[in-house]
Amino acid sequence: QVQLVESGGGLVQPGGSLRLSCAASGSIVSNEAMGWYRQAPGKERELVARITTGRPTTYADSVKGRFTVSRDNAKNTVYLQMNSLKPEDTAVYYCNAVLWVRPGGFRNYWGQGTQVTVSS
């Protein structure tokens, strides 16, 4: 059984910072990709940032220069440092991971979501 546990969401004023963490646990052999998506009310889920082994890190245009994604492979953990937050960043943020697990091979997993609210 593989689980993704997220932490770090909350309420922050515009211009502030938050750091999200997502730790994967279970019968994990390796991780192929880890990243973050978000979904605002009335909108579709969208990619925020993603690290894929052997490929360039991907960011949504709306967060480039403000957000930084990083990954600790030894801990199967991905982080999202969010700076200069704007009200339009308000959303539920979901961790996503593509993991090689035992048994079964590559599987796609989602976290439970963490609320980020940017408001004065």
Side-chain angles (χ1 to χ4, degrees), residues 32-78:
E32 172 68 12
M34 298 188 80
W36 296 90
Y37 289 71
R38 67 186 180 187
Q39 188 166 19
K43 295 187 177 181
E44 294 186 353
R45 190 173 297 189
E46 63 175 359
L47 172 69
V48 177
R50 181 181 177 93
I51 297 178
T52 304
T53 301
R55 299 184 182 183
T57 299
T58 302
Y59 290 93
D61 287 343
S62 59
V63 307
K64 285 180 180 177
R66 300 187 298 123
F67 291 10
T68 302
V69 63
S70 59
R71 180 176 65 173
D72 184 333
N73 289 329
K75 297 181 179 179
N76 290 312
T77 299
V78 64

Side-chain angles (χ1 to χ4, degrees), residues 8-20 66-67 81-91 93 115-120:
L11 173 65
V12 64
Q13 292 186 344
S17 298
L18 281 175
R19 187 185 192 221
L20 305 182
R66 300 187 298 123
F67 291 10
Q81 178 66 43
M82 304 185 292
N83 299 327
S84 302
L85 281 159
K86 304 175 181 180
E88 50 264 44
D89 295 317
T90 296
Y93 283 69
Q115 178 69 45
V116 171
T117 302
V118 184
S119 175
S120 55

